[in-house]
Amino acid sequence: MIAAYAATLARTAVSFTPNSLRHNVAINSRAAAIRTQLFSSTSEETLVNGRIPIGSLTSLDSRAIIDNLELVLTHLKSRRASDETLEAAKKIEARNDERVSLIQTRDAALQQRNEQSKAIGMLMRNPDRDEAEVEKAKSLSQAAADEASAAEEKLAALEEEVSSLLAGIPNLLDDNVPDGNDDTENEEVEKWGEIGDLAKKLGWPEDGSFEPKWHDDVASGLNGWQAENAVAISGARFVALSGHVARLERAISSFFLDMHVNQHGYTEVSVPYVVGRSALEGTSQLPKFEEDLFRIAKDSHQCNGEDAFLIPTAEVPLTNMHRESILDESDLPISYVALTPCFRAEAGSYGRDTRGLIRTHQFSKVEMVKITSAETSMDQHEELTRHAQACLEALELPYRKVRLCSGDIGFSARHCYDLEVWLPGSGEYREISSCSNTGDFQARRMGLRYRPSPPKEAEEDKPKGGKKKKAKKPKPVFCHTINGSGLAVGRTLLAVLENYQMPDGSVVVPEVLRPYLGGAEVLKA
């Protein structure tokens, strides 16, 4: 039943955008009937992880909400969305009747204007015309034009309202995403490395006499922790590093870039650290998370007339590299990697993770981005996540891979894995990478599409004689975008400091990083 409904919608759906006004607005009665039958019979047995499965409905636009409101609401509730978000989805669906009525009014008025224009033309060609009739036809034509203009104006306002409501609604969830309230209910997928193995390899005392220190204490022991100096310059949640620690941070970032470029096939990109509002809207950081961004004063700088912001992640400029473009399927997937500083206001996190490098306003991150076709999206997501895992394994850092639950997953993600590295100083796993598949959620917002390759002509389809027909080009469809940290450099630094520390205060350099540190094997104060 779900498949039949999805197929019917696919034949009838139109996007709720100004361009769609050119399309037929009639609602397919068969789709409506199937929808009524489907959702009136929805029961616990038909739900997946507490929500209606998405089936083939993988795109979220206003048309999808109008035709699948019950499905969308179950996904929003699974995300623990606010009442305001739930009402926004309902309002989009409710406004559709008004939209249809306005379109019908406008089209009827335009038809009336055209008919009166023809009548005026015929009257004007008649030498014995009645001027009163001409004036009446002109009056009726003008009245119809005014009515059409008024309907169009109301329609534009309604479209703008719906677009604003849609911008605040998160992505649909993949059926594999478990239901849960927060990060305590994420699903562990796998673990790599035994917690005590590296300690044994390094020769930590086995009698329990050595208590691992936090990374900031380890860095201070190397005379490389200048946090107080940074706070005096920039305020809270800024850190400065020096000496061995600063060099170790640089070595980590260089190693990650080389690994992704040389072994994983990514193209390295140097991107701007300042982006405009539309770029952040494309990747959905705006309008939802504006309070988490660092905005540049308008009188200081603007991006093509737009508000300017410091990037919260390289995901933003990397994913926007091809905005408003139509790519060829043969060019996909596109794999980009970049090392950038990231700037986050961390609004709402005050009082949490105030110590060390866990949560700062500025940090370095190596970011991976893939632009893919819909068909390869899931496989590419798994591959990108595997590339992030390879970084941790090369450093011999124990970690676990978790699938984020519905209450913890990001706004734009439909499926997300977190990699959590073991930190002996605090005795816990902490996130070091988040790898998300957003489907076409971001691409739809930034107008990023690809043209599918034409199907190969079957032997029996070839003409036996005469001129061969030129195959029609397939219509462009939205790309899928995938992003992930490969890895967060600051958190990798703290993981190395804590896992490779020695009782005498020195830090053993992981073997893969030694070429980047002139062959140094141990860092000492």
Side-chain angles (χ1 to χ4, degrees):
M1 179 62 74
I2 292 173
Y5 175 50
T8 302
L9 289 181
R11 293 192 296 270
T12 61
V14 292
S15 297
F16 202 169
T17 64
N19 290 335
S20 71
L21 302 182
R22 304 188 187 95
H23 296 286
N24 188 343
V25 299
I27 299 176
N28 186 283
S29 58
R30 173 164 167 72
I34 293 177
R35 177 171 59 132
T36 301
Q37 183 182 351
L38 172 63
F39 293 121
S40 63
S41 62
T42 297
S43 64
E44 290 296 326
E45 288 74 20
T46 63
L47 300 180
V48 174
N49 288 316
R51 57 186 178 271
I52 299 173
I54 58 175
S56 60
L57 180 67
T58 56
S59 295
L60 182 68
D61 58 9
S62 52
R63 185 78 259 168
I65 294 174
I66 291 165
D67 291 332
N68 305 273
L69 180 62
E70 292 88 344
L71 183 153
V72 172
L73 289 177
T74 63
H75 282 244
L76 294 179
K77 290 174 182 177
S78 185
R79 280 180 171 272
R80 279 48 173 182
S82 65
D83 291 340
E84 181 182 6
T85 303
L86 294 171
E87 287 304 314
K90 293 175 184 177
K91 189 175 289 187
I92 289 174
E93 194 269 348
R95 299 291 271 179
N96 189 52
D97 288 344
E98 182 181 351
R99 170 181 173 268
V100 172
S101 178
L102 284 170
I103 291 174
Q104 292 171 341
T105 298
R106 182 206 59 188
D107 290 351
L110 289 174
Q111 183 177 354
Q112 174 72 3
R113 185 197 64 181
N114 292 339
E115 290 174 356
Q116 293 303 321
S117 295
K118 290 179 182 178
I120 293 169
M122 293 176 65
L123 288 168
M124 294 301 291
R125 288 192 293 274
N126 184 359
D128 300 324
R129 62 182 174 271
D130 184 339
E131 294 298 334
E133 280 192 57
V134 174
E135 290 303 317
K136 181 180 179 182
K138 287 182 178 180
S139 177
L140 290 173
S141 177
Q142 185 59 51
D146 291 344
E147 184 178 8
S149 179
E152 187 69 54
E153 187 176 332
K154 290 180 181 178
L155 193 57
L158 187 149
E159 297 283 2
E160 186 175 347
E161 177 192 1
V162 168
S163 293
S164 178
L165 291 169
L166 185 62
I169 295 178
N171 202 356
L172 296 171
L173 296 170
D174 187 277
D175 292 340
N176 289 317
V177 174
D179 186 65
N181 290 307
D182 52 38
D183 59 1
T184 63
E185 298 184 78
N186 290 337
E187 176 184 278
E188 185 176 295
V189 178
E190 63 178 287
K191 273 185 178 179
W192 186 91
E194 293 294 330
I195 290 176
D197 284 355
L198 185 56
K200 290 180 181 178
K201 180 179 178 180
L202 295 174
W204 286 12
E206 297 184 8
D207 59 4
S209 60
F210 173 56
E211 183 176 348
K213 298 177 181 178
W214 274 60
H215 60 280
D216 52 346
D217 289 335
V218 177
S220 295
L222 296 176
N223 295 324
W225 187 255
Q226 310 294 336
E228 292 183 3
N229 301 28
V231 170
I233 299 168
S234 304
R237 293 188 186 265
F238 284 93
V239 173
L241 307 173
S242 62
H244 289 319
V245 181
R247 288 190 66 204
L248 182 58
E249 181 186 44
R250 177 160 55 90
I252 290 169
S253 60
S254 296
F255 166 66
F256 288 162
L257 284 174
D258 286 346
M259 189 173 191
H260 293 314
V261 171
N262 299 330
Q263 297 181 34
H264 301 152
Y266 289 76
T267 298
E268 184 175 353
V269 184
S270 177
V271 296
Y273 302 160
V274 177
V275 294
R277 179 174 288 275
S278 60
L280 289 156
E281 288 173 343
T283 49
S284 70
Q285 274 82 9
L286 287 178
K288 186 73 173 177
F289 304 106
E290 186 159 351
E291 65 178 5
D292 285 322
L293 302 174
F294 280 100
R295 185 193 293 191
I296 296 173
K298 287 185 178 181
D299 56 357
S300 174
H301 178 71
Q302 288 188 309
C303 295
N304 302 316
E306 297 180 348
D307 292 336
F309 299 83
L310 296 177
I311 60 169
T313 165
E315 169 199 342
V316 178
L318 285 176
T319 312
N320 275 276
M321 289 280 286
H322 297 284
R323 64 177 297 114
E324 302 296 339
S325 298
I326 299 178
L327 307 171
D328 289 328
E329 185 176 13
S330 59
D331 294 330
L332 303 180
I334 294 173
S335 302
Y336 286 142
V337 65
L339 166 68
T340 68
C342 304
F343 303 90
R344 298 184 186 177
E346 294 290 353
S349 67
Y350 297 104
R352 292 194 298 124
D353 298 324
T354 56
R355 180 177 177 179
L357 292 169
I358 290 289
R359 197 180 299 274
T360 56
H361 287 315
Q362 176 186 324
F363 58 94
S364 295
K365 182 156 66 83
V366 172
E367 184 75 2
M368 302 175 291
V369 162
K370 283 181 175 284
I371 300 172
T372 78
S373 64
E375 290 73 20
T376 62
S377 174
M378 293 179 66
D379 289 341
Q380 290 296 317
H381 180 215
E382 296 293 332
E383 181 176 273
L384 179 142
T385 306
R386 183 63 227 154
H387 293 157
Q389 292 175 254
C391 294
L392 288 167
E393 292 169 14
L395 292 168
E396 300 182 66
L397 295 173
Y399 71 89
R400 67 175 191 160
K401 173 183 175 182
V402 299
R403 180 181 285 114
L404 297 197
C405 72
S406 58
D408 192 38
I409 196 169
F411 181 86
S412 63
R414 74 176 192 181
H415 188 199
C416 181
Y417 294 115
D418 269 8
L419 303 181
E420 299 177 344
V421 67
W422 174 253
L423 301 180
S426 56
E428 61 183 342
Y429 287 98
R430 292 301 299 261
E431 178 200 338
I432 196 169
S433 175
S434 189
C435 301
S436 301
N437 186 344
T438 73
D440 68 4
F441 190 79
Q442 293 179 331
R444 187 175 289 275
R445 294 179 178 219
M446 66 179 68
L448 172 56
R449 297 177 292 169
Y450 72 94
R451 192 182 300 279
S453 301
K456 292 182 179 179
E457 189 178 43
E459 194 65 37
E460 57 270 20
D461 293 337
K462 292 181 180 179
K464 294 180 179 179
K467 191 176 180 180
K468 184 178 178 181
K469 289 184 179 179
K470 188 176 181 180
K472 289 184 179 179
K473 287 185 177 181
K475 291 183 178 180
V477 295
F478 288 107
C479 296
H480 281 208
T481 59
I482 302 161
N483 63 78
S485 310
L487 302 163
V489 178
R491 292 199 178 188
T492 305
L493 173 64
L494 73 88
V496 169
L497 290 174
E498 291 194 12
N499 281 279
Y500 281 87
Q501 62 180 301
M502 298 298 290
D504 64 358
S506 64
V507 173
V508 174
V509 178
E511 289 185 23
V512 293
L513 297 182
R514 291 174 186 177
Y516 298 89
L517 288 165
E521 297 182 6
V522 179
L523 304 179
K524 298 181 179 180

